[in-house]
Amino acid sequence: MRHDIQPNERAFSSKEVAEEMNIASATVRRYGQILERNGYEFFKDGERRIFVRSDIEALIAFRDSERPKDEMAGDLARQQKERLEESDTTDMTIPDTYAGSIQDPAQLHDFLKVIANELAASREMNVQLTQDMEQLKTTVARLQQDHHVISSGVGNFSQKTHTKIDKLTEQQNNHYEELLKEEKRKSEALHKELQDMREEQRKEWRAQNDFNQQLAEAANKSKGSLGKLFSLFRK
């Protein structure tokens, strides 16, 4: 287990490391997983990694190296192991430190400073997480509002479109009805004109027939008178 943390040494969260290295927090987590897979140790708060300055330097070297990632991670893990073996720093595990602190108040004071720094870092991280959650809630609320506005706009546009279509359909139907009425009037007028022409033609036929009959009767009468005259000459 690691025991190289120094009194008053600052602890960093993944977000703070990402900001200092100018990379994404997800990239920091991925680098940490690769390093751990090859034997590198991080301080842990449950499943959450806590970084110190030596860890950040290892991550920077890991990021900037052109060697294969697993190979570089193995070298960094070996360097860390050698550094820990050579270190004279007392293990910072809670039982050992607490036991030693009974005999050495100065050591207890240093240990409490380290714990205070870690608690401060945790509180800072909690504040950041709270701010991120509030920002996320604001973003979600804004997206919901935008969705409502868009839905309302689409609904209004659809309603207006249907209203325009209904109005145009009604106008078209009225136009067709007027055309049909006009055609009906024209048809009726033409039919009446045709009837009048036929009646006029029948009148002319009757007048012509009467005239022909009168002409025939007059011709018959003239023929009878001529016959009588011719019979007188034959006598």
Side-chain angles (χ1 to χ4, degrees):
M1 180 177 291
R2 289 188 63 172
H3 55 272
D4 59 329
I5 189 168
Q6 300 298 319
N8 299 323
E9 184 172 10
R10 181 184 174 186
F12 297 85
S13 65
S14 296
K15 181 177 178 63
E16 290 171 327
V17 174
E19 291 176 353
E20 180 168 338
M21 295 179 62
N22 196 25
I23 58 178
S25 296
T27 305
V28 173
R29 289 192 293 271
R30 182 165 59 85
Y31 285 175
Q33 291 170 355
I34 297 173
L35 287 168
E36 283 182 336
R37 188 173 67 221
N38 287 273
Y40 193 94
E41 290 186 45
F42 291 98
F43 291 108
K44 289 289 190 72
D45 180 14
E47 294 297 323
R48 182 171 61 86
R49 297 182 185 89
I50 298 175
F51 302 88
V52 294
R53 177 54 57 184
S54 60
D55 297 327
I56 297 176
E57 292 173 356
L59 288 170
I60 292 174
F62 181 79
R63 180 197 63 186
D64 296 340
S65 175
E66 297 181 356
R67 297 167 58 190
K69 295 300 183 183
D70 284 328
E71 181 180 331
M72 184 61 184
D75 283 351
L76 290 171
R78 284 190 293 273
Q79 292 173 14
Q80 182 193 49
K81 185 177 180 180
E82 292 173 358
R83 185 174 67 252
L84 292 176
E85 290 175 351
E86 295 173 358
S87 175
D88 294 329
T89 306
T90 305
D91 284 344
M92 296 301 297
T93 57
I94 292 177
D96 293 343
T97 305
Y98 180 73
S101 67
I102 295 175
Q103 300 175 2
D104 189 353
Q107 197 173 42
L108 175 61
H109 179 71
D110 292 339
F111 172 73
L112 290 178
K113 282 185 177 181
V114 172
I115 296 299
N117 288 334
E118 292 183 359
L119 288 175
S122 297
R123 282 196 296 270
E124 184 178 353
M125 183 177 296
N126 288 335
V127 170
Q128 184 63 44
L129 289 174
T130 301
Q131 292 175 351
D132 291 344
M133 286 297 296
E134 292 298 326
Q135 185 177 2
L136 181 61
K137 289 179 181 179
T138 302
T139 302
V140 171
R142 185 169 61 251
L143 289 174
Q144 289 176 342
Q145 184 178 3
D146 292 343
H147 176 73
H148 177 71
V149 171
I150 292 172
S151 299
S152 300
V154 171
N156 292 335
F157 176 76
S158 177
Q159 183 177 2
K160 290 179 180 179
T161 301
H162 284 300
T163 301
K164 288 182 179 180
I165 291 175
D166 293 340
K167 187 174 181 180
L168 288 173
T169 303
E170 183 180 0
Q171 291 176 350
Q172 191 175 25
N173 289 336
N174 292 335
H175 181 64
Y176 284 155
E177 289 179 1
E178 290 296 328
L179 288 177
L180 287 173
K181 289 180 181 178
E182 183 65 24
E183 290 299 323
K184 187 176 180 181
R185 286 195 294 269
K186 289 180 180 180
S187 178
E188 290 176 352
L190 183 61
H191 182 67
K192 187 175 183 306
E193 184 177 356
L194 229 96
Q195 285 182 335
D196 292 343
M197 289 177 62
R198 288 176 180 173
E199 184 63 28
E200 186 67 26
Q201 189 176 26
R202 282 195 292 269
K203 288 180 181 179
E204 289 182 1
W205 284 346
R206 284 196 295 269
Q208 185 66 38
N209 189 38
D210 292 343
F211 176 75
N212 290 339
Q213 287 180 357
Q214 292 175 4
L215 186 59
E217 290 176 357
N220 289 333
K221 288 180 180 180
S222 298
K223 184 178 179 181
S225 301
L226 289 175
K228 289 180 180 182
L229 182 58
F230 288 147
S231 63
L232 287 176
F233 282 109
R234 281 196 297 272
K235 292 178 180 181

PDB file of all heavy atoms in Angstrom, residues 209-232:
ATOM      1  N   ASN A 209     -97.272  25.383 -96.083  1.00  0.00           N
ATOM      2  CA  ASN A 209     -98.246  24.352 -96.459  1.00  0.00           C
ATOM      3  C   ASN A 209     -99.583  24.977 -96.838  1.00  0.00           C
ATOM      4  O   ASN A 209    -100.224  24.585 -97.824  1.00  0.00           O
ATOM      5  CB  ASN A 209     -98.406  23.363 -95.300  1.00  0.00           C
ATOM      6  CG  ASN A 209     -99.219  22.152 -95.700  1.00  0.00           C
ATOM      7  OD1 ASN A 209     -99.107  21.647 -96.816  1.00  0.00           O
ATOM      8  ND2 ASN A 209    -100.067  21.692 -94.793  1.00  0.00           N
ATOM      9  N   ASP A 210    -100.011  25.965 -96.032  1.00  0.00           N
ATOM     10  CA  ASP A 210    -101.278  26.656 -96.345  1.00  0.00           C
ATOM     11  C   ASP A 210    -101.173  27.371 -97.699  1.00  0.00           C
ATOM     12  O   ASP A 210    -102.121  27.341 -98.514  1.00  0.00           O
ATOM     13  CB  ASP A 210    -101.595  27.674 -95.248  1.00  0.00           C
ATOM     14  CG  ASP A 210    -101.942  26.987 -93.935  1.00  0.00           C
ATOM     15  OD1 ASP A 210    -102.259  25.777 -93.954  1.00  0.00           O
ATOM     16  OD2 ASP A 210    -101.865  27.650 -92.866  1.00  0.00           O
ATOM     17  N   PHE A 211    -100.021  27.997 -97.904  1.00  0.00           N
ATOM     18  CA  PHE A 211     -99.843  28.691 -99.176  1.00  0.00           C
ATOM     19  C   PHE A 211     -99.870  27.706-100.349  1.00  0.00           C
ATOM     20  O   PHE A 211    -100.495  27.969-101.393  1.00  0.00           O
ATOM     21  CB  PHE A 211     -98.508  29.448 -99.155  1.00  0.00           C
ATOM     22  CG  PHE A 211     -98.194  30.122-100.459  1.00  0.00           C
ATOM     23  CD1 PHE A 211     -98.858  31.305-100.845  1.00  0.00           C
ATOM     24  CD2 PHE A 211     -97.265  29.570-101.340  1.00  0.00           C
ATOM     25  CE1 PHE A 211     -98.561  31.891-102.058  1.00  0.00           C
ATOM     26  CE2 PHE A 211     -96.990  30.174-102.537  1.00  0.00           C
ATOM     27  CZ  PHE A 211     -97.632  31.352-102.918  1.00  0.00           C
ATOM     28  N   ASN A 212     -99.245  26.561-100.155  1.00  0.00           N
ATOM     29  CA  ASN A 212     -99.244  25.555-101.224  1.00  0.00           C
ATOM     30  C   ASN A 212    -100.659  25.047-101.505  1.00  0.00           C
ATOM     31  O   ASN A 212    -101.046  24.817-102.665  1.00  0.00           O
ATOM     32  CB  ASN A 212     -98.336  24.386-100.853  1.00  0.00           C
ATOM     33  CG  ASN A 212     -96.867  24.796-100.877  1.00  0.00           C
ATOM     34  OD1 ASN A 212     -96.506  25.793-101.528  1.00  0.00           O
ATOM     35  ND2 ASN A 212     -96.025  24.053-100.175  1.00  0.00           N
ATOM     36  N   GLN A 213    -101.432  24.866-100.443  1.00  0.00           N
ATOM     37  CA  GLN A 213    -102.806  24.398-100.642  1.00  0.00           C
ATOM     38  C   GLN A 213    -103.632  25.449-101.387  1.00  0.00           C
ATOM     39  O   GLN A 213    -104.419  25.128-102.292  1.00  0.00           O
ATOM     40  CB  GLN A 213    -103.442  24.083 -99.279  1.00  0.00           C
ATOM     41  CG  GLN A 213    -102.902  22.810 -98.644  1.00  0.00           C
ATOM     42  CD  GLN A 213    -103.554  22.519 -97.306  1.00  0.00           C
ATOM     43  OE1 GLN A 213    -104.372  23.313 -96.841  1.00  0.00           O
ATOM     44  NE2 GLN A 213    -103.212  21.382 -96.735  1.00  0.00           N
ATOM     45  N   GLN A 214    -103.462  26.699-100.965  1.00  0.00           N
ATOM     46  CA  GLN A 214    -104.196  27.764-101.657  1.00  0.00           C
ATOM     47  C   GLN A 214    -103.791  27.854-103.129  1.00  0.00           C
ATOM     48  O   GLN A 214    -104.630  28.047-104.021  1.00  0.00           O
ATOM     49  CB  GLN A 214    -103.935  29.101-100.964  1.00  0.00           C
ATOM     50  CG  GLN A 214    -104.546  29.199 -99.572  1.00  0.00           C
ATOM     51  CD  GLN A 214    -104.159  30.483 -98.871  1.00  0.00           C
ATOM     52  OE1 GLN A 214    -103.484  31.334 -99.467  1.00  0.00           O
ATOM     53  NE2 GLN A 214    -104.615  30.630 -97.644  1.00  0.00           N
ATOM     54  N   LEU A 215    -102.522  27.690-103.384  1.00  0.00           N
ATOM     55  CA  LEU A 215    -102.039  27.744-104.756  1.00  0.00           C
ATOM     56  C   LEU A 215    -102.607  26.584-105.575  1.00  0.00           C
ATOM     57  O   LEU A 215    -103.005  26.749-106.739  1.00  0.00           O
ATOM     58  CB  LEU A 215    -100.513  27.695-104.754  1.00  0.00           C
ATOM     59  CG  LEU A 215     -99.824  27.888-106.099  1.00  0.00           C
ATOM     60  CD1 LEU A 215    -100.198  29.246-106.716  1.00  0.00           C
ATOM     61  CD2 LEU A 215     -98.317  27.741-105.977  1.00  0.00           C
ATOM     62  N   ALA A 216    -102.672  25.415-104.951  1.00  0.00           N
ATOM     63  CA  ALA A 216    -103.227  24.246-105.662  1.00  0.00           C
ATOM     64  C   ALA A 216    -104.697  24.451-105.958  1.00  0.00           C
ATOM     65  O   ALA A 216    -105.192  24.120-107.043  1.00  0.00           O
ATOM     66  CB  ALA A 216    -102.998  22.984-104.826  1.00  0.00           C
ATOM     67  N   GLU A 217    -105.440  24.983-104.974  1.00  0.00           N
ATOM     68  CA  GLU A 217    -106.870  25.231-105.189  1.00  0.00           C
ATOM     69  C   GLU A 217    -107.068  26.264-106.301  1.00  0.00           C
ATOM     70  O   GLU A 217    -107.958  26.117-107.163  1.00  0.00           O
ATOM     71  CB  GLU A 217    -107.499  25.712-103.891  1.00  0.00           C
ATOM     72  CG  GLU A 217    -107.582  24.627-102.825  1.00  0.00           C
ATOM     73  CD  GLU A 217    -108.119  25.169-101.508  1.00  0.00           C
ATOM     74  OE1 GLU A 217    -108.369  26.395-101.437  1.00  0.00           O
ATOM     75  OE2 GLU A 217    -108.250  24.368-100.531  1.00  0.00           O
ATOM     76  N   ALA A 218    -106.267  27.301-106.293  1.00  0.00           N
ATOM     77  CA  ALA A 218    -106.393  28.327-107.329  1.00  0.00           C
ATOM     78  C   ALA A 218    -106.061  27.745-108.693  1.00  0.00           C
ATOM     79  O   ALA A 218    -106.716  28.046-109.709  1.00  0.00           O
ATOM     80  CB  ALA A 218    -105.452  29.490-107.023  1.00  0.00           C
ATOM     81  N   ALA A 219    -105.071  26.857-108.722  1.00  0.00           N
ATOM     82  CA  ALA A 219    -104.708  26.235-110.000  1.00  0.00           C
ATOM     83  C   ALA A 219    -105.829  25.352-110.480  1.00  0.00           C
ATOM     84  O   ALA A 219    -106.146  25.304-111.681  1.00  0.00           O
ATOM     85  CB  ALA A 219    -103.426  25.429-109.827  1.00  0.00           C
ATOM     86  N   ASN A 220    -106.490  24.654-109.588  1.00  0.00           N
ATOM     87  CA  ASN A 220    -107.606  23.786-109.987  1.00  0.00           C
ATOM     88  C   ASN A 220    -108.760  24.614-110.528  1.00  0.00           C
ATOM     89  O   ASN A 220    -109.419  24.245-111.519  1.00  0.00           O
ATOM     90  CB  ASN A 220    -108.057  22.939-108.792  1.00  0.00           C
ATOM     91  CG  ASN A 220    -107.024  21.862-108.443  1.00  0.00           C
ATOM     92  OD1 ASN A 220    -106.271  21.413-109.325  1.00  0.00           O
ATOM     93  ND2 ASN A 220    -106.985  21.466-107.176  1.00  0.00           N
ATOM     94  N   LYS A 221    -109.035  25.719-109.863  1.00  0.00           N
ATOM     95  CA  LYS A 221    -110.117  26.572-110.332  1.00  0.00           C
ATOM     96  C   LYS A 221    -109.802  27.132-111.722  1.00  0.00           C
ATOM     97  O   LYS A 221    -110.663  27.195-112.603  1.00  0.00           O
ATOM     98  CB  LYS A 221    -110.344  27.716-109.356  1.00  0.00           C
ATOM     99  CG  LYS A 221    -110.994  27.285-108.049  1.00  0.00           C
ATOM    100  CD  LYS A 221    -111.188  28.473-107.136  1.00  0.00           C
ATOM    101  CE  LYS A 221    -111.832  28.054-105.829  1.00  0.00           C
ATOM    102  NZ  LYS A 221    -112.041  29.188-104.932  1.00  0.00           N
ATOM    103  N   SER A 222    -108.574  27.555-111.898  1.00  0.00           N
ATOM    104  CA  SER A 222    -108.177  28.096-113.203  1.00  0.00           C
ATOM    105  C   SER A 222    -108.274  27.028-114.271  1.00  0.00           C
ATOM    106  O   SER A 222    -108.705  27.285-115.407  1.00  0.00           O
ATOM    107  CB  SER A 222    -106.729  28.630-113.133  1.00  0.00           C
ATOM    108  OG  SER A 222    -106.655  29.679-112.200  1.00  0.00           O
ATOM    109  N   LYS A 223    -107.937  25.830-113.928  1.00  0.00           N
ATOM    110  CA  LYS A 223    -107.996  24.738-114.898  1.00  0.00           C
ATOM    111  C   LYS A 223    -109.440  24.452-115.296  1.00  0.00           C
ATOM    112  O   LYS A 223    -109.762  24.184-116.460  1.00  0.00           O
ATOM    113  CB  LYS A 223    -107.346  23.494-114.287  1.00  0.00           C
ATOM    114  CG  LYS A 223    -107.274  22.328-115.233  1.00  0.00           C
ATOM    115  CD  LYS A 223    -106.574  21.169-114.570  1.00  0.00           C
ATOM    116  CE  LYS A 223    -106.518  19.984-115.537  1.00  0.00           C
ATOM    117  NZ  LYS A 223    -105.869  18.808-114.933  1.00  0.00           N
ATOM    118  N   GLY A 224    -110.369  24.552-114.369  1.00  0.00           N
ATOM    119  CA  GLY A 224    -111.793  24.326-114.693  1.00  0.00           C
ATOM    120  C   GLY A 224    -112.325  25.407-115.607  1.00  0.00           C
ATOM    121  O   GLY A 224    -113.095  25.127-116.553  1.00  0.00           O
ATOM    122  N   SER A 225    -111.996  26.611-115.387  1.00  0.00           N
ATOM    123  CA  SER A 225    -112.460  27.720-116.233  1.00  0.00           C
ATOM    124  C   SER A 225    -111.908  27.600-117.634  1.00  0.00           C
ATOM    125  O   SER A 225    -112.627  27.818-118.646  1.00  0.00           O
ATOM    126  CB  SER A 225    -112.020  29.062-115.627  1.00  0.00           C
ATOM    127  OG  SER A 225    -112.552  29.214-114.329  1.00  0.00           O
ATOM    128  N   LEU A 226    -110.728  27.239-117.817  1.00  0.00           N
ATOM    129  CA  LEU A 226    -110.110  27.068-119.119  1.00  0.00           C
ATOM    130  C   LEU A 226    -110.770  25.909-119.869  1.00  0.00           C
ATOM    131  O   LEU A 226    -110.978  25.952-121.085  1.00  0.00           O
ATOM    132  CB  LEU A 226    -108.604  26.828-118.975  1.00  0.00           C
ATOM    133  CG  LEU A 226    -107.772  28.061-118.532  1.00  0.00           C
ATOM    134  CD1 LEU A 226    -106.335  27.649-118.305  1.00  0.00           C
ATOM    135  CD2 LEU A 226    -107.862  29.151-119.607  1.00  0.00           C
ATOM    136  N   GLY A 227    -111.121  24.876-119.139  1.00  0.00           N
ATOM    137  CA  GLY A 227    -111.793  23.736-119.792  1.00  0.00           C
ATOM    138  C   GLY A 227    -113.121  24.123-120.366  1.00  0.00           C
ATOM    139  O   GLY A 227    -113.497  23.702-121.478  1.00  0.00           O
ATOM    140  N   LYS A 228    -113.853  24.914-119.606  1.00  0.00           N
ATOM    141  CA  LYS A 228    -115.145  25.383-120.118  1.00  0.00           C
ATOM    142  C   LYS A 228    -114.939  26.253-121.346  1.00  0.00           C
ATOM    143  O   LYS A 228    -115.703  26.165-122.342  1.00  0.00           O
ATOM    144  CB  LYS A 228    -115.874  26.171-119.045  1.00  0.00           C
ATOM    145  CG  LYS A 228    -116.398  25.309-117.895  1.00  0.00           C
ATOM    146  CD  LYS A 228    -117.104  26.173-116.881  1.00  0.00           C
ATOM    147  CE  LYS A 228    -117.631  25.349-115.714  1.00  0.00           C
ATOM    148  NZ  LYS A 228    -118.336  26.144-114.755  1.00  0.00           N
ATOM    149  N   LEU A 229    -113.977  27.085-121.340  1.00  0.00           N
ATOM    150  CA  LEU A 229    -113.725  27.956-122.475  1.00  0.00           C
ATOM    151  C   LEU A 229    -113.337  27.151-123.697  1.00  0.00           C
ATOM    152  O   LEU A 229    -113.818  27.427-124.821  1.00  0.00           O
ATOM    153  CB  LEU A 229    -112.602  28.955-122.112  1.00  0.00           C
ATOM    154  CG  LEU A 229    -112.227  29.998-123.172  1.00  0.00           C
ATOM    155  CD1 LEU A 229    -113.464  30.839-123.549  1.00  0.00           C
ATOM    156  CD2 LEU A 229    -111.084  30.829-122.743  1.00  0.00           C
ATOM    157  N   PHE A 230    -112.549  26.158-123.558  1.00  0.00           N
ATOM    158  CA  PHE A 230    -112.117  25.328-124.692  1.00  0.00           C
ATOM    159  C   PHE A 230    -113.311  24.538-125.243  1.00  0.00           C
ATOM    160  O   PHE A 230    -113.414  24.288-126.459  1.00  0.00           O
ATOM    161  CB  PHE A 230    -110.991  24.363-124.262  1.00  0.00           C
ATOM    162  CG  PHE A 230    -109.660  25.063-124.026  1.00  0.00           C
ATOM    163  CD1 PHE A 230    -108.779  24.615-123.062  1.00  0.00           C
ATOM    164  CD2 PHE A 230    -109.320  26.173-124.812  1.00  0.00           C
ATOM    165  CE1 PHE A 230    -107.591  25.249-122.875  1.00  0.00           C
ATOM    166  CE2 PHE A 230    -108.116  26.791-124.611  1.00  0.00           C
ATOM    167  CZ  PHE A 230    -107.225  26.356-123.628  1.00  0.00           C
ATOM    168  N   SER A 231    -114.218  24.123-124.362  1.00  0.00           N
ATOM    169  CA  SER A 231    -115.387  23.365-124.861  1.00  0.00           C
ATOM    170  C   SER A 231    -116.299  24.254-125.704  1.00  0.00           C
ATOM    171  O   SER A 231    -116.911  23.804-126.673  1.00  0.00           O
ATOM    172  CB  SER A 231    -116.161  22.778-123.664  1.00  0.00           C
ATOM    173  OG  SER A 231    -116.649  23.858-122.872  1.00  0.00           O
ATOM    174  N   LEU A 232    -116.363  25.522-125.409  1.00  0.00           N
ATOM    175  CA  LEU A 232    -117.180  26.430-126.211  1.00  0.00           C
ATOM    176  C   LEU A 232    -116.572  26.581-127.629  1.00  0.00           C
ATOM    177  O   LEU A 232    -117.278  26.641-128.630  1.00  0.00           O
ATOM    178  CB  LEU A 232    -117.240  27.815-125.533  1.00  0.00           C
ATOM    179  CG  LEU A 232    -118.109  27.900-124.270  1.00  0.00           C
ATOM    180  CD1 LEU A 232    -118.012  29.276-123.654  1.00  0.00           C
ATOM    181  CD2 LEU A 232    -119.584  27.593-124.606  1.00  0.00           C
TER     182      LEU A 232
END
